[in-house]
Amino acid sequence: MVIKAVKGTKDILPQEVAQWHKLERNALEIFSRYGYREIRTPIFEVTELFARGVGDTTDIVNKEMYTFEKSERSLTLRPENTAGVVRSFIENGMSRLSAPVKLWYKGPMFRYERPQAGRQRQFHQVGVEMFGVKDAAADAEVILLAVEYLKSLGLNDLEVEINSLGCPKCREEYKRKIKEVLKPEFANLCEDCQNRYEKNPLRLLDCKVESCKKIFEKPEIQRVIRSDYICEECAKHYSELKNYLDELNVKYVENKLLVRGLDYYNRTVFEIKSNNLGSQNAVCGGGRYDSLVKNLGGEDTPAVGFAMGMERLNSLLPCPDEQKLDAYVVSNSSADAFKLTQELRNQGFMVEFDLSNKKFTKQLEKAAKIAKYALILGEDEIKSNTVSIKNLDTSEQINVARNEVPKKIG
Ligand code: HAM
């Protein structure tokens, strides 16, 4: 029986790799320009890191982790990378560095979710984390960076949504109010919402189940959801963020229902969405997480960051044209073709020749499909130490001395 890739995983095939290189190249270039340095953390970590980091009321921790035992330790394939970067930040004493410490990463993440368009079980993220700054300028810079990165890929028409979740103090009061107003509806909520009601009532707000959405539309519930519950200090931080974004000309919409699916956030949360992605429409998610470093055993350090789904970014980019070879050597003498090919490769050209002794005309046909020039080495050319160069776009052909070839095809 043929063995197939595991459900929810995908090969990235050679014809797709150029696009991945572009995502990675632009990340390196743009994130470096903003002072971020790349960090590569392990793909698996102790399970406790995610339980404490991402939060044990989240779907990610409760339902979606790939967890396994080795030598009596529970290990988990990383479902996201903020927790891993924070672990590394603490373990490597990065709080001693002068703030802000700016780190970026890319790589595979693993979540046992129901696969669908734009949602895989192994997927890739590119992301940034900034440590050490409380001020809303940091949140604004991180959001601006996300927008600039997307622009560099030609993605200009995406919607930035922002919200403030307040601090643990003001959020408690909000949670209490939400629970109170939803109490009479408890029996009508979906199972997930019933489970979250006690532990994390804020997450109810972004439930996608139709019957729950209907309940949340009731005016008395909307009044609570849309109330301005955040405390004065959090409100100031949020309004400073909006001022910075306005000054920087970053367009955004405010979405009171944006709560994000990870527990570590406080104050700013944001997502960047596309209308061309169907139901899995978020290309980027992020926010501030001022308690996480301390919760994971480090010094009290404010932080903010984002991650983008690379598969989703790729699906928004136009397919690049296949790259053509600089030249294809056409000859009945494999040895001569091999030698010329190698001379040109050593000078940096992308050149191939026929390794399987096909007929001359077949070789020419192949050259026309995959190369810019055919370099013809017939008997005459070999005798006179020349090469006939055929431009495969215009069909023009010239005969030049062998050492002239690089100049002519360069
Ligand atoms: P997240 O919203 O869980 O946030 O994921 C960020 C992005 O990863 C999503 O917007 C989406 O584009 C992509 N993504 C998530 N799950 C999948 C999936 N199953 N298949 C394909 N793409 C997916 C985080 O992971 C946070 N660590 C972001 C962050 C960084 N917050 C602060 N710093």
Side-chain angles (χ1 to χ4, degrees), residues 103-218:
L103 304 168
W104 77 272
Y105 53 83
K106 61 174 190 307
M109 311 291 156
F110 306 84
R111 294 184 194 175
Y112 187 71
E113 294 189 87
R114 197 170 50 77
Q116 62 182 93
R119 195 206 270 158
Q120 292 175 204
R121 290 180 172 171
Q122 177 176 337
F123 61 99
H124 296 76
Q125 285 185 344
V126 57
V128 309
E129 312 294 350
M130 187 206 293
F131 296 94
V133 188
K134 258 208 302 234
D135 196 280
D139 312 47
E141 195 192 79
V142 162
I143 294 175
L144 176 72
L145 176 57
V147 170
E148 287 299 315
Y149 174 63
L150 292 166
K151 266 195 210 160
S152 81
L153 299 170
L155 303 173
N156 301 308
D157 56 349
L158 303 174
E159 188 148 277
V160 180
E161 288 188 355
I162 62 168
N163 191 20
S164 175
L165 297 179
C167 56
K169 253 195 263 156
C170 48
R171 204 157 46 207
E172 273 320 304
E173 176 59 12
Y174 187 51
K175 282 185 189 170
R176 197 189 56 74
K177 280 190 186 154
I178 288 183
K179 277 169 64 180
E180 195 177 84
V181 73
L182 284 174
K183 203 169 184 180
E185 300 285 352
F186 185 82
N188 304 324
L189 296 172
C190 72
E191 201 187 320
D192 272 345
C193 280
Q194 289 189 349
N195 287 334
R196 287 173 180 151
Y197 179 87
E198 277 303 330
K199 291 191 205 151
N200 193 357
L202 237 58
R203 278 307 307 285
L204 270 62
L205 306 186
D206 72 353
C207 179
K208 305 286 182 292
V209 175
E210 279 310 317
S211 53
C212 290
K213 279 196 204 164
K214 277 233 165 68
I215 296 174
F216 303 147
E217 274 163 20
K218 294 188 173 176

Side-chain angles (χ1 to χ4, degrees), residues 60 80-82 105 111 113 118-120 123 125 128-129 260 262 264-265 271 282-287 289 304-309 311-312:
I60 294 181
E80 59 98 58
N81 208 24
T82 306
Y105 53 83
R111 294 184 194 175
E113 294 189 87
R119 195 206 270 158
Q120 292 175 204
F123 61 99
Q125 285 185 344
V128 309
E129 312 294 350
R260 308 269 305 126
L262 304 102
Y264 45 62
Y265 294 114
E271 285 192 351
V283 288
C284 174
Y289 49 97
V304 54
F306 68 72
M308 297 191 188
E311 282 78 5
R312 294 190 194 172

Side-chain angles (χ1 to χ4, degrees), residues 237-337:
H237 192 271
Y238 188 43
S239 101
E240 281 168 2
L241 167 66
K242 288 186 282 185
N243 285 342
Y244 281 120
L245 294 177
D246 291 337
E247 288 291 321
L248 291 160
N249 258 330
V250 176
K251 304 247 172 321
Y252 58 86
V253 291
E254 293 180 68
N255 177 1
K256 283 240 168 198
L257 301 184
L258 183 65
V259 289
R260 308 269 305 126
L262 304 102
D263 276 355
Y264 45 62
Y265 294 114
N266 65 297
R267 293 194 168 164
T268 310
V269 284
F270 67 98
E271 285 192 351
I272 305 183
K273 294 180 177 165
S274 161
N275 291 327
N276 302 322
L277 280 176
S279 65
Q280 300 305 311
N281 62 353
V283 288
C284 174
R288 175 166 281 284
Y289 49 97
D290 292 336
S291 316
L292 186 57
V293 179
K294 191 157 180 224
N295 285 347
L296 291 176
E299 283 169 30
D300 207 355
T301 311
V304 54
F306 68 72
M308 297 191 188
M310 297 177 80
E311 282 78 5
R312 294 190 194 172
L313 290 176
N314 265 329
S315 67
L316 291 173
L317 297 180
C319 285
D321 294 335
E322 275 267 353
Q323 200 184 2
K324 285 206 160 173
L325 295 177
D326 293 312
Y328 191 84
V329 180
V330 174
S331 179
N332 284 331
S333 161
S334 293
D336 285 289

Side-chain angles (χ1 to χ4, degrees), residues 325-391:
L325 295 177
D326 293 312
Y328 191 84
V329 180
V330 174
S331 179
N332 284 331
S333 161
S334 293
D336 285 289
F338 207 155
K339 261 201 337 235
L340 177 60
T341 301
Q342 209 45 35
E343 274 168 35
L344 293 168
R345 282 176 179 162
N346 288 342
Q347 295 182 56
F349 291 101
M350 230 163 57
V351 184
E352 292 280 356
F353 74 105
D354 175 41
L355 286 163
S356 54
N357 259 325
K358 288 207 189 66
K359 285 211 180 91
F360 198 84
T361 46
K362 287 269 175 242
Q363 291 183 32
L364 256 182
E365 278 168 23
K366 174 148 189 189
K369 280 193 201 131
I370 62 169
K372 296 179 207 157
Y373 293 96
L375 304 181
I376 300 166
L377 276 182
E379 270 176 38
D380 291 347
E381 283 89 355
I382 292 169
K383 257 191 233 147
S384 59
N385 204 23
T386 62
V387 176
S388 294
I389 303 179
K390 182 170 181 181
N391 181 326

Side-chain angles (χ1 to χ4, degrees), residues 52-78:
R52 271 169 58 192
V54 176
D56 52 15
T57 69
T58 60
D59 281 351
I60 294 181
V61 169
N62 280 323
K63 305 183 194 162
E64 297 171 1
M65 295 209 296
Y66 282 90
T67 297
F68 53 99
E69 296 264 328
K70 274 280 172 230
S71 308
E72 290 167 26
R73 291 209 84 175
S74 177
L75 306 173
T76 291
L77 298 182
R78 61 185 187 191

